[in-house]
Structures are given as structure tokens and as C-alpha cells.
Amino acid sequence: MTQAEKEQDNGKEKEKEREKEKEKEQQRGVKRPIAPPVISEPPQEQIQSNFIVVIHPGSRTLRIGRATDNLPVMVPHVIARRHKQSGQPRYEDAWLLRDGLNKPESKEQRQNGLKMVEQAIWSKKMSNGVRRTPVSAEQAKAYNCQIRPAVLESSSRVKWTNTAHHPPHLVGEEALNVNPSDCYNIHWPVVRGQLNVHPGPGGSLTAVLSDLETIWSHVIQKSLEIPLKDLKYYRCILLVPDIYNRQHIKEVVNMLLLNMGFSAIIVHQESVCATFGSGLSSACVVDVGDQKTSVCCVEDGVSHRNSRLGLAYGGSDVTRTFFWLLQRAGFPYRDCQLGSRLDTQLLQQLKETFCHLNQDISGLQDHEFQTRFPEAPALLYQVRLGDEKLQAPMGLFYPTTFGIVGQKMSSLQYRSPGDSEDPHDEHYLLATQSKQDQSSKSAADRKAISRPGGALDGEMSNQGGIGELSDLPRGCGSGGSGVGMQGEMELGPTQGECLMGAGDVDEPLSAHLSRKTAIMNQFESKALGLDKAILHSIDCCASDETKRKMYSSILVVGGGLMFLGAQEFLLHRIINKMPPSFRRLVDNVEVITRPKDMDPRLISWKGGSVLACLDTTQEMWIHQREWQRFGVRMLRERAAFVW
């Protein structure tokens, strides 16, 4: 027998002995340790920021770019769609005009607002300690009414968009410069931070989503130079408002993943991304946009639900008010119309050039501006202005100046209306919690009855029941629609106390909700000034320590408050109106308008690109296959905020 055969026989004998020992151990009941199965860890994907597209859709401007870009592409968020049939009536979404301006009370409300603005201007002293001398509109009007424009050139060299080849749609600047006589409808798919769903032409949810897809696809192809067929290699970060409509977000995510074909997506809130972009860990984020203003307190990357507040006014309302003040002062360009796209762009430019919030600039001053319109000569106008340049932006602090009547002007968080695709949402949690509360209540009642004086103890033990406002879940939800949800509006405890005072514990839940709905409706019809909204938002934070952090870091983003002197003006108003108890606690109230010298309009987008590079975002990605299989449940599981 060879040596190899001997070794083989020995090995077999040893194996037989081991098997016999195992059998003996099993008979004795000895348990052997079970070796854990080897599970291979999923390979960690390398983050490639140049394959991540960050999208920040605004009411008037779309900001989009790769996460590696220094600056995003900024495009007017508008589309012109060609009529499908000849003779079709032309439709155009309003820009500066809005509902609630032509009511009988509008003019009176605007005049009252202007009186408050004039009083505020007079009451605040200039830096030299002297009160500002008011300038009446009549002084400027006498000069402006005599002005006639000077012709600079016989041709303005500005042309309408060429539509000779009948393109089915035009996007951005091309859409803005379409000749009104051409057969195109003009649509703005986002209004006041929400999808522009309305009963008019192109106002259905399907049509608005189609407009968004067309605009975004066009910009991705033309400006980012990414072929649409290659989007399967790209991921997307979508920035959404702090008070958002769940159904709309769900549909937009569906469109990005399934229609446009991105491989994965992250959805995050504008306010949190603003803190990332500015490098702040905590801040009270004030986002003043063209159509809406939002205020929210963010602490360590988390947006406090109770502090979220939406205001239905912004930069375009300041522009419209400035035009009204210009007319009072005899504006020399007398053919200017709010309904004209070209005139609207001119008024926006005049507001950005002339308006300010610097009390030290006073008295009548002469200015000039040009008009360059297609098929018309280039004209030069002289104009003399006084306090109009300061009064218009102060409308943000006295919103009655805007003259908007009968519209919802303030919005808080709503509870979700529910979604059939997500059965285990907060409604399910509320129902199961109610059953637990009822069973614990009945057990507590039985114990209370079994001992003397137990009824009182039983009542005391029930003070955390579902009838109390503070125990209701604070729903994240549908920011602006409010359709079919009037009975389900939800406030956090601090907001409830701010608006209603202490709640009655013994009040039935239905009566409590109806009372709260009435107070909410009253609250939402009022337009809070920007300074009051900031104070309200900070006051809704849970602890004094958090409030102190927020007062010391008020971050202003967006393009609606980019006026000379805005930082000092807002700081002055906050310090004057903040509760006296906090003046001792807060070391330094600080208003930040240009962190790191960045354009405040780009800070939230920049925060989205920072988010793309963080290792912690790996677990937040929602992949296309997961969305196809689980749908909106993935947002509840993966979103970095409470969905």
C-alpha cells in the first residue's frame, strides 16, 4: 500500500470518528454552535457627482445643473405651446396679475397699507438721527407729466422669436419673446411654489406635468448637453418646497424616474438645502421668491414642522405695487400694461434697478431707462422719483399694500389626505394609536373605579388622550391645495396655542377640529408681514435654546429681497419686535443675506449639489426599480424629512 493510500484511509477513519462523536452529542442533547452564514456586503457605490443632476424648480426661474457645476443654468420656467387647430382662442397664464386684485375693497386696502408704510418710514430715523422728510407723489408727478421720450435708434434691434418653422413648443426666453399674434399658448407650470393646476386651458395635472417634462428635457439636452437616452446613467436630486403637496411630488417623481428615465432620485426640502449651501448647521431660513415666501426653522439638517409657514406673496407683488406707485407719480411710459409680457419684464428690471430699503436715500431723484421692444424704435425716458422706491419693497412688511382681497395668504402644515398606495401612513398609525389609547384608558378607568376617589385620578390619567390637540400627529402635507381637507388640517401644539390658546381637554374631537378649522380659515386670510412671519416661526420652536439659535442665524435666500439695505432693515425690525425676554438671552441677532458672497438665488441649488457629495445620502436614493415596485411608500421610507 502506498503512502498516499494510507493517508487517504486515515482521513476516512477520522471523518467516521467525528460523525460518531456528533451522534453521541445529539443523544446527550449537546447543542453545537451554528456558524452564521456568510453574507457578502453590498458593494459601496462610488459617488460620481458629474452624473447627478440637481433640479430646483421655482415659480419663475428653473435652476438646473450637474452637481459638479459651479453655477446652475437659470431659465425662465415658461413654455409656449402651438395651437393644435387654427382659430383656437389664445391663452396666457398671468404673470403679475392675480386673483383678488379687482375687488371693491382692493383700492381701499391698498391705500390703508400705503398709509402704514408712510408712517413706518417717518417713524424710523436716518443714520444721522434726523427724521426723514416725506416726499409726496404730486411733487414728482408735476415733472413726469411733462416728459416725452427721446428716440435713441429708429430700430430697437430686438426681434420676436422666429416661429416660421412652426415648432410645437418653445421654452424659456424664446417662449417669453413669442409674438402675441402667433398661435401659441403661454404656460407657467409652477405658481407660488405649487404646480399650476387650474380649470383653464393647459391647467390639468397631466398637462402641467407634460409642460414640466418638456421644459426640463429641453434644458437638459440643450444646456447640459445630456442626451435623453443617457439619463438612465444619471441620478437626480429634486428640491421641493417646505410646505408641499404630496400628490404633486409623487407625480413629479414618477415623471422623473419612469418618463424621463433617471436611474435614481433624492427628494429634499429647499430650506434644509439652503443651510447646506450656506454652510450653516442651524438657521431660520427665509426664502423670498417671485411668487411666494416661506419661513422655516432648520436645526442640524432637520426642518421643524411646527415652524413652517408659507406666505402667498413675493417679488412679483412688489413689482406690481411699484407700477401702481409709478402711475401715481405720473410714469412717463404711459402705454405700460401689466398684462404684457414685455412690459412685465421692463417693470421687473426697473424694480431691481431703482428700489431699495435704505432709509438714508431720500428726496426727489432723477433716473432714466430705455424701452427696446420688437417692431418699435428704442426710446429713452427720464423719470423723477421720491419715496416710491422705498415704499414698494416695504410692501413685504405691510402686505395690505398689495391690495389682495379674499385670497388665502398664509398657509401652515396640513395632515396628509392619504394615499391608497401607502396603507401604513400616519392615518393607519393614528387609528392604531387610538385603539391603544382607548384600551389603556379603559384599563385606567377600571383601576380608578376600584379605589376611592378614583374618578378624579382617572380624569387626570386621561389628559394625554386623543381629544387633546398636542397629541394629534403633526402631519406633513399638501401645502397649498387644501381641497377636500378642511376637516383634516393639522397644527403642531405650539401653533395651536399661538392661534387658539389652551385647548379644552374634554371637548369632543369633532368640535375641536371644527373650531380649529374656523380659526385656521381666519388665520389664512390674513397676510403676515415678513418680520411677523419670522417671529411667529421662531416662536413655534419647541425650546428656548432652539429659539436662541434661530434668532442668531436668520438666513435670507431667494431673489425677492435683493434690495440695497435689506439686511439692515430686516435686522432693525426683528430686534424691535422680538419678545423682550429674548433680548436678554440672545447675544447677537444676525441676518445673513449673502453667505460666502454667494448669489442668494442659488444657495438652495448649491445645497442640493453639496447633498449629492455626502456619504450619508447613499441610503436616501430611491431607485427606479424600487419606485416601480413600491411607489410612494419609498418616499416615506427614504425621504430625509417626515413624509
Side-chain angles (χ1 to χ4, degrees):
M1 185 180 288
T2 62
Q3 186 67 26
E5 288 173 343
K6 285 180 183 178
E7 287 178 359
Q8 192 173 358
D9 288 343
N10 289 337
K12 287 179 181 177
E13 287 175 5
K14 287 179 182 178
E15 194 172 336
K16 287 178 182 177
E17 286 175 5
R18 281 198 296 270
E19 286 177 359
K20 285 178 183 178
E21 285 177 6
K22 280 183 188 178
E23 288 175 5
K24 288 178 183 177
E25 286 174 355
Q26 285 176 358
Q27 290 170 1
R28 290 198 303 266
V30 177
K31 292 184 179 178
R32 295 176 60 82
I34 299 171
V38 178
I39 301 173
S40 59
E41 291 187 6
Q44 190 75 15
E45 292 185 56
Q46 186 67 32
I47 300 173
Q48 293 182 306
S49 299
N50 57 323
F51 282 90
I52 296 175
V53 176
V54 181
I55 302 176
H56 183 197
S59 298
R60 284 294 167 261
T61 306
L62 169 69
R63 299 167 190 89
I64 186 169
R66 289 180 175 86
T68 49
D69 295 342
N70 287 328
L71 298 172
V73 175
M74 296 175 66
V75 180
H77 210 176
V78 62
I79 184 170
R81 287 199 179 274
R82 187 169 180 79
H83 291 173
K84 293 183 178 177
Q85 298 173 348
S86 59
Q88 195 175 326
R90 192 174 159 279
Y91 176 84
E92 184 167 337
D93 283 337
W95 187 339
L96 292 185
L97 294 171
R98 57 183 291 179
D99 293 335
L101 292 174
N102 298 321
K103 300 290 176 68
E105 315 93 274
S106 293
K107 188 175 180 181
E108 182 186 350
Q109 184 167 306
R110 205 161 44 193
Q111 294 286 2
N112 291 338
L114 186 58
K115 285 178 186 174
M116 289 191 284
V117 167
E118 289 171 346
Q119 176 63 26
I121 291 173
W122 181 84
S123 62
K124 185 178 183 291
K125 293 180 181 179
M126 295 190 289
S127 57
N128 59 6
V130 178
R131 290 199 186 278
R132 183 187 171 102
T133 306
V135 180
S136 70
E138 297 300 323
Q139 293 173 264
K141 189 173 184 178
Y143 172 83
N144 291 331
C145 287
Q146 301 171 2
I147 294 297
R148 295 292 178 268
V151 178
L152 291 177
E153 299 176 58
S154 58
S155 171
S156 64
R157 293 182 291 181
V158 176
K159 294 183 179 179
W160 296 112
T161 299
N162 182 13
T163 58
H165 57 298
H166 303 307
H169 59 260
L170 296 159
V171 168
E173 294 287 351
E174 289 186 333
L176 285 181
N177 294 321
V178 167
N179 192 326
S181 62
D182 282 352
C183 305
Y184 284 86
N185 288 345
I186 309 296
H187 299 296
W188 297 89
V190 179
V191 63
R192 277 179 276 291
Q194 307 294 334
L195 296 189
N196 188 13
V197 178
H198 59 84
S204 68
L205 181 58
T206 307
V208 172
L209 289 167
S210 174
D211 288 344
L212 282 182
E213 184 178 348
T214 305
I215 296 171
W216 297 359
S217 299
H218 176 89
V219 177
I220 286 170
Q221 277 185 299
K222 300 294 181 185
S223 301
L224 302 187
E225 298 180 348
I226 301 172
L228 293 182
K229 62 183 176 60
D230 289 349
L231 286 184
K232 60 189 174 185
Y233 305 117
Y234 284 79
R235 298 180 175 200
C236 169
I237 292 180
L238 176 67
L239 275 59
V240 299
D242 302 310
I243 299 178
Y244 53 87
N245 185 312
R246 292 193 189 197
Q247 181 65 23
H248 291 179
I249 301 303
K250 170 188 165 184
E251 296 295 343
V252 172
V253 171
N254 202 59
M255 180 262 288
L256 285 165
L257 288 177
L258 304 187
N259 295 10
M260 293 180 68
F262 280 100
S263 63
I265 192 171
I266 285 177
V267 178
H268 216 325
Q269 293 167 301
E270 292 172 337
S271 63
V272 177
C273 289
T275 60
F276 291 154
S278 58
L280 299 170
S281 60
S282 301
C284 176
V285 180
V286 183
D287 186 349
V288 187
D290 183 81
Q291 296 255 313
K292 58 96 182 172
T293 298
S294 62
V295 186
C296 177
C297 293
V298 178
E299 189 175 20
D300 299 326
V302 177
S303 157
H304 287 294
R305 279 209 218 179
N306 286 354
S307 69
R308 294 178 202 160
L309 181 62
L311 304 167
Y313 60 76
S316 61
D317 297 285
V318 175
T319 305
R320 190 181 58 254
T321 303
F322 186 47
F323 176 58
W324 171 61
L325 293 169
L326 288 174
Q327 286 182 309
R328 286 173 77 242
F331 190 41
Y333 172 37
R334 292 173 184 86
D335 295 330
C336 189
Q337 298 290 330
L338 284 176
S340 163
R341 261 178 284 125
L342 299 179
D343 288 347
T344 294
Q345 292 178 77
L346 172 67
L347 289 171
Q348 295 269 50
Q349 182 186 340
L350 294 182
K351 176 196 71 175
E352 291 167 8
T353 308
F354 297 153
C355 287
H356 62 84
L357 281 167
N358 188 341
Q359 289 281 119
D360 291 348
I361 301 175
S362 63
L364 289 169
Q365 292 182 323
D366 291 338
H367 303 275
E368 60 182 34
F369 64 93
Q370 297 179 17
T371 58
R372 291 183 177 272
F373 299 137
E375 302 171 2
L379 303 176
L380 177 69
Y381 286 87
Q382 304 290 331
V383 61
R384 181 170 290 177
L385 297 174
D387 288 347
E388 293 82 10
K389 300 176 291 181
L390 176 59
Q391 290 167 342
M394 280 190 69
L396 293 168
F397 301 90
Y398 296 93
T400 47
T401 314
F402 299 144
I404 303 163
V405 177
Q407 296 293 304
K408 177 179 165 183
M409 296 301 292
S410 304
S411 56
L412 300 171
Q413 282 292 197
Y414 291 84
R415 195 196 305 170
S416 162
D419 193 307
S420 58
E421 289 183 23
D422 189 9
H424 296 95
D425 61 4
E426 61 190 39
H427 292 275
Y428 169 81
L429 297 174
L430 177 63
T432 52
Q433 183 65 36
S434 299
K435 289 175 184 176
Q436 290 175 6
D437 287 345
Q438 286 170 5
S439 60
S440 61
K441 176 188 171 184
S442 58
D445 286 346
R446 284 196 297 274
K447 286 181 184 177
I449 292 168
S450 66
R451 62 176 182 266
L456 180 62
D457 292 339
E459 287 171 15
M460 293 299 288
S461 67
N462 188 36
Q463 286 198 0
I466 60 167
E468 190 175 6
L469 175 68
S470 60
D471 198 47
L472 292 168
R474 305 171 197 166
C476 197
S478 136
S481 65
V483 179
M485 290 184 285
Q486 292 299 312
E488 293 187 331
M489 285 185 286
E490 210 44 64
L491 291 176
T494 317
Q495 284 176 333
E497 289 160 15
C498 290
L499 297 177
M500 297 169 48
D504 184 2
V505 176
D506 296 326
E507 184 179 15
L509 181 59
S510 58
H512 193 89
L513 284 173
S514 61
R515 185 163 66 91
K516 184 168 50 163
T517 301
I519 293 171
M520 277 286 289
N521 289 340
Q522 185 183 359
F523 174 78
E524 291 183 334
S525 64
K526 292 180 179 178
L528 288 178
L530 189 58
D531 48 349
K532 290 181 181 176
I534 293 169
L535 293 166
H536 175 87
S537 178
I538 294 176
D539 191 47
C540 286
C541 292
S543 68
D544 286 354
E545 177 59 26
T546 304
K547 292 176 186 178
R548 190 184 63 76
K549 280 186 195 175
M550 298 305 142
Y551 277 119
S552 60
S553 184
I554 298 170
L555 174 65
V556 181
V557 298
L561 200 65
M562 293 174 63
F563 300 110
L564 178 69
Q567 185 175 9
E568 296 79 9
F569 188 87
L570 181 57
L571 179 62
H572 168 79
R573 292 188 70 90
I574 294 293
I575 290 174
N576 278 1
K577 293 194 173 185
M578 68 188 289
S581 57
F582 275 98
R583 288 180 194 166
R584 295 190 301 272
L585 291 173
V586 179
D587 302 328
N588 182 32
V589 178
E590 188 175 2
V591 173
I592 305 160
T593 53
R594 298 186 73 91
K596 303 177 182 176
D597 288 330
M598 280 194 296
D599 185 336
R601 294 171 294 183
L602 306 181
I603 290 171
S604 292
W605 182 89
K606 196 68 182 173
S609 63
V610 170
L611 182 71
C613 306
L614 299 176
D615 291 335
T616 51
T617 59
Q618 284 301 296
E619 59 198 35
M620 292 162 56
W621 289 107
I622 299 171
H623 295 270
Q624 192 184 81
R625 284 186 179 179
E626 293 175 324
W627 183 260
Q628 286 174 321
R629 184 175 178 187
F630 300 109
V632 74
R633 281 176 284 176
M634 293 308 301
L635 279 167
R636 181 161 55 80
E637 294 294 331
R638 298 278 173 84
F641 50 94
V642 179
W643 173 253

